[in-house]
Structure formats: C-alpha cells, structure tokens
Amino acid sequence: MSHTIFPSIDTVAHLARVREHAPLIHNITNLVAMNTMANVLLAIGASPAMVHAREEAAEFTAIADALTVNIGTLSPHWVEAMIEAAEAARLMGKPWVLDPVAVGATAYRRETGARLLERLPTVIRGNASEIIALEARGAGGRGVDSSDPAEAAEQAAIRLARRIGCVVAVTGEVDLVTDGRRLAYVHGGHPLMPRVTTLGCSLTGVVAAFLVGAEDSFEATVAALACYATAGELAGESARGPGSFAVAFLDALYALDNETLRGRLRLELTDAT
C-alpha cells in the first residue's frame, strides 16, 4: 500500500472556484441546522437555499447547482421531498450529498437511508457510526454523536463507496475520504468543533459547493474537508469556548486565503485496500 504526503489536490483552486461561481446549493436539512448551514455556506462563498416542501423540492433541484439531503429531523412529507429531489438530481446529473444523521437509530431512518442510497448520491458524509450503520444496513449509533473514531469506519466506507459508486467522507478527529480506490486523511480541526451543534451538517453543504464544476468528486470532497479543518484550527486559536468558537469559525472560513491554506494543509493519501 502506498502512503505519501501529497500536494496533488489543489485545495486553493477548489476554493477559488467556489468563490468565483458562488454555486446555489439546495439544502433539505434538519430544523436545527438551517441557520448555521446558511451562514457557513455564505462564509465560504456559496449561495444557500432551504427548500423542503414536497410540492417544489424536485423543481427547485433543477434550478440549483447541487443538492444536500440531511435526515436529522424526519417527517413523512420531508422524506418524500428528499426522495423526489434526490431522484431529480440523479436524473439531471447534478451532484448531491447525503448526510445520514443517526441512520442506525430507528427502522424509519434505516428505511429512509436505504431509499436515498438507491438515488446514488455523489458523496455520503457522516460520522463513523453513521457510515458503519449505513453500510451494514443495520442498527448502530443512537444519535448525531459518533461513538466510533473515523478510522473504525475505514473498511465500511471503502465497501460503501464501491457498492454505490460514490465518495464517502467520514468525519472525526482525523477525517477520511474514499472513492473505493483512493483513501485520504485530512488532519486539522479543533476539539471544540463537536461542541457547536450542526457544524457537521453544515460541512455537508460545503462539500456540495465544492462538487459543483469539479472534475474529480474525490478531490473536491478532500478539498472541502481540508478547508473546513483549517478554519476549525484557526478558530480554535482564539476561541474561549463553544460560543466564541462558532463566531470565530465563520470568520475563519470567510478569511481563508491561499497563504493560510498552503501553510496549514495536512493531507495524506493511500491506496484503498
């Protein structure tokens, strides 16, 4: 297995593309995450939209550049909107990202996760417990907090990526990303990040923004996570607690520049086995 520190993913170029084009990201996300997610997307340079009514979700997907689906606060009407929007994205060839929040906690979540997988997401982004449960089609993980480190989900992520033909991103103390062939580790972030609710959900939107116009979904996903981790690291240097961290994190995302990224990026790449 090869193991190299690599500069081949041009995170700076990916971020510049997002800021130049300000892609419109259609988010069907949970009730808790909407405000944070909108602010994070604006800070990174994208344009957020929160459209969840079944009567317009698929139609709006046609307008947007990418879609995110987050199953955090499910209801029957929202589930059908998710399915129809994801199917529209699949048929139109638009990137879409699945965030399978607490997918192993209940039968309803497992069923919804399975239905969404059939719509072939471009990227699946979750914590280790969620990825393990989604891949196993079974129970695991009682809520949004992961009880497993990201590396515990490595093989599950590789199997899931190969089965669906997508990219899988597992977030944790060290993030990992795989497309079933390549495996990237993204270092950075800060211990306060899990103490601010919905920062993970908001990352899903950032991944979607980086996918727009990208030639390689794996590289775009790694770049998105690298920018997020760098902003978290920067925010942690001045934050006194979760409240000040949340504000500092938005400012750090907004202020990310080429010099900062090149000086702080810590990425590793191996072959997935």
Side-chain angles (χ1 to χ4, degrees):
M1 178 173 69
S2 66
H3 187 95
T4 57
I5 302 295
F6 69 104
S8 57
I9 293 179
D10 192 346
T11 302
V12 169
H14 283 283
L15 177 60
R17 187 184 65 253
V18 172
R19 288 175 169 170
E20 178 182 358
H21 297 290
L24 176 60
I25 310 303
H26 174 195
N27 305 287
I28 306 178
T29 192
N30 69 71
L31 291 165
V32 183
M34 289 184 186
N35 185 69
T36 304
M37 193 171 191
N39 284 329
V40 163
L41 282 167
L42 288 169
I44 202 70
S47 179
M50 309 298 168
V51 179
H52 58 261
R54 182 180 184 183
E55 291 79 2
E56 64 172 349
E59 182 180 356
F60 195 85
T61 300
I63 300 170
D65 294 304
L67 167 73
T68 74
V69 173
N70 174 306
I71 68 169
T73 51
L74 290 178
S75 68
H77 199 76
W78 277 31
V79 168
E80 295 311 312
M82 293 172 181
I83 298 298
E84 292 179 14
E87 181 67 7
R90 184 186 70 83
L91 292 174
M92 289 182 284
K94 295 194 175 188
W96 78 275
V97 185
L98 172 61
D99 192 341
V101 175
V103 69
T106 67
Y108 190 39
R109 290 176 183 274
R110 292 192 292 274
E111 177 190 358
T112 300
R115 293 178 68 191
L116 287 164
L117 282 184
E118 292 174 357
R119 275 69 191 182
L120 304 179
T122 312
V123 176
I124 302 167
R125 191 223 61 86
N127 64 39
S129 298
E130 291 160 352
I131 297 304
I132 291 169
L134 194 64
E135 190 277 329
R137 305 178 180 90
R142 59 183 180 172
V144 298
D145 297 325
S146 178
S147 58
D148 300 293
E151 59 267 24
E154 182 176 306
Q155 290 304 312
I158 292 169
R159 289 192 298 268
L160 185 59
R162 289 172 177 170
R163 175 160 63 92
I164 303 301
C166 69
V167 173
V168 177
V170 189
T171 50
E173 185 174 344
V174 177
D175 300 331
L176 69 89
V177 182
T178 184
D179 61 357
R181 297 182 299 107
R182 297 167 288 180
L183 182 64
Y185 301 91
V186 182
H187 300 267
H190 192 271
L192 281 173
M193 294 181 82
R195 297 292 182 177
V196 181
T197 189
T198 69
L199 278 191
C201 302
S202 301
L203 172 56
T204 299
V206 173
V207 171
F210 275 64
L211 291 173
V212 177
E215 295 181 1
D216 187 321
S217 296
F218 171 79
E219 292 192 2
T221 303
V222 173
L225 268 63
C227 286
Y228 220 70
T230 301
E233 190 172 77
L234 287 167
E237 293 175 356
S238 62
R240 299 182 305 279
S244 57
F245 182 88
V247 175
F249 181 74
L250 283 178
D251 288 346
L253 273 180
Y254 182 77
L256 276 180
D257 57 25
N258 298 356
E259 182 179 356
T260 300
L261 283 173
R262 291 189 174 116
R264 289 181 176 260
L265 284 177
R266 286 176 288 151
L267 308 177
E268 297 175 83
L269 178 68
T270 74
D271 299 321
T273 56

Short mmCIF file of all heavy atoms in Angstrom, two decimals, residues 18 30 46 79 90 92 96 164 196-197 213 216:
data_model
loop_
_atom_site.label_atom_id
_atom_site.label_comp_id
_atom_site.label_asym_id
_atom_site.label_seq_id
_atom_site.Cartn_x
_atom_site.Cartn_y
_atom_site.Cartn_z
N VAL A 18 -15.20 27.88 -6.03
CA VAL A 18 -16.44 28.13 -5.27
C VAL A 18 -16.70 29.62 -5.17
O VAL A 18 -17.81 30.11 -5.42
CB VAL A 18 -16.35 27.49 -3.87
CG1 VAL A 18 -17.54 27.91 -3.01
CG2 VAL A 18 -16.31 25.96 -3.98
N ASN A 30 -31.95 19.47 8.42
CA ASN A 30 -32.79 19.37 9.62
C ASN A 30 -33.09 20.74 10.20
O ASN A 30 -32.42 21.74 9.91
CB ASN A 30 -32.14 18.44 10.64
CG ASN A 30 -30.87 19.00 11.24
OD1 ASN A 30 -30.89 19.94 12.02
ND2 ASN A 30 -29.75 18.40 10.86
N ALA A 46 -20.54 30.38 -1.14
CA ALA A 46 -21.65 29.77 -1.88
C ALA A 46 -22.96 30.48 -1.57
O ALA A 46 -23.02 31.36 -0.71
CB ALA A 46 -21.75 28.29 -1.55
N VAL A 79 -39.55 13.36 3.94
CA VAL A 79 -38.90 12.20 3.33
C VAL A 79 -39.24 12.11 1.85
O VAL A 79 -38.37 11.88 0.99
CB VAL A 79 -39.29 10.90 4.06
CG1 VAL A 79 -38.85 9.68 3.26
CG2 VAL A 79 -38.66 10.87 5.45
N ARG A 90 -30.31 12.99 -9.56
CA ARG A 90 -29.71 11.85 -10.26
C ARG A 90 -30.02 11.90 -11.75
O ARG A 90 -29.13 11.72 -12.59
CB ARG A 90 -30.24 10.54 -9.65
CG ARG A 90 -29.61 9.28 -10.24
CD ARG A 90 -30.27 8.03 -9.71
NE ARG A 90 -31.62 7.87 -10.24
CZ ARG A 90 -31.90 7.34 -11.44
NH1 ARG A 90 -30.93 6.91 -12.23
NH2 ARG A 90 -33.15 7.21 -11.82
N MET A 92 -30.80 14.42 -13.60
CA MET A 92 -30.21 15.58 -14.26
C MET A 92 -28.68 15.60 -14.18
O MET A 92 -28.04 16.51 -14.71
CB MET A 92 -30.77 16.87 -13.67
CG MET A 92 -32.22 17.11 -14.03
SD MET A 92 -32.87 18.67 -13.38
CE MET A 92 -33.11 18.24 -11.67
N TRP A 96 -25.14 15.52 -5.64
CA TRP A 96 -25.91 15.63 -4.40
C TRP A 96 -25.22 14.84 -3.29
O TRP A 96 -24.54 13.86 -3.55
CB TRP A 96 -27.36 15.23 -4.59
CG TRP A 96 -27.71 13.78 -4.64
CD1 TRP A 96 -27.68 12.95 -5.73
CD2 TRP A 96 -28.23 12.98 -3.56
NE1 TRP A 96 -28.12 11.70 -5.40
CE2 TRP A 96 -28.47 11.69 -4.09
CE3 TRP A 96 -28.51 13.24 -2.23
CZ2 TRP A 96 -28.98 10.66 -3.30
CZ3 TRP A 96 -29.02 12.22 -1.44
CH2 TRP A 96 -29.24 10.94 -1.97
N ILE A 164 -21.92 1.74 -4.01
CA ILE A 164 -22.77 2.79 -4.54
C ILE A 164 -22.11 3.48 -5.73
O ILE A 164 -22.78 4.08 -6.56
CB ILE A 164 -23.11 3.81 -3.44
CG1 ILE A 164 -23.79 3.10 -2.25
CG2 ILE A 164 -24.02 4.92 -3.96
CD1 ILE A 164 -25.07 2.39 -2.60
N VAL A 196 -20.20 22.59 19.00
CA VAL A 196 -21.07 23.56 18.33
C VAL A 196 -22.02 22.77 17.44
O VAL A 196 -21.61 22.17 16.44
CB VAL A 196 -20.27 24.58 17.51
CG1 VAL A 196 -21.21 25.59 16.84
CG2 VAL A 196 -19.26 25.30 18.39
N THR A 197 -23.29 22.77 17.79
CA THR A 197 -24.24 21.92 17.07
C THR A 197 -24.34 22.32 15.61
O THR A 197 -24.24 23.49 15.25
CB THR A 197 -25.63 21.99 17.73
OG1 THR A 197 -26.47 20.99 17.13
CG2 THR A 197 -26.28 23.35 17.58
N GLY A 213 -18.91 21.86 -10.59
CA GLY A 213 -17.88 22.17 -11.57
C GLY A 213 -16.59 21.40 -11.40
O GLY A 213 -15.64 21.61 -12.17
N ASP A 216 -13.25 15.93 -10.45
CA ASP A 216 -12.99 14.75 -9.62
C ASP A 216 -13.69 14.95 -8.28
O ASP A 216 -13.28 15.79 -7.47
CB ASP A 216 -11.47 14.59 -9.44
CG ASP A 216 -11.09 13.31 -8.73
OD1 ASP A 216 -11.79 12.91 -7.79
OD2 ASP A 216 -10.06 12.70 -9.10
#
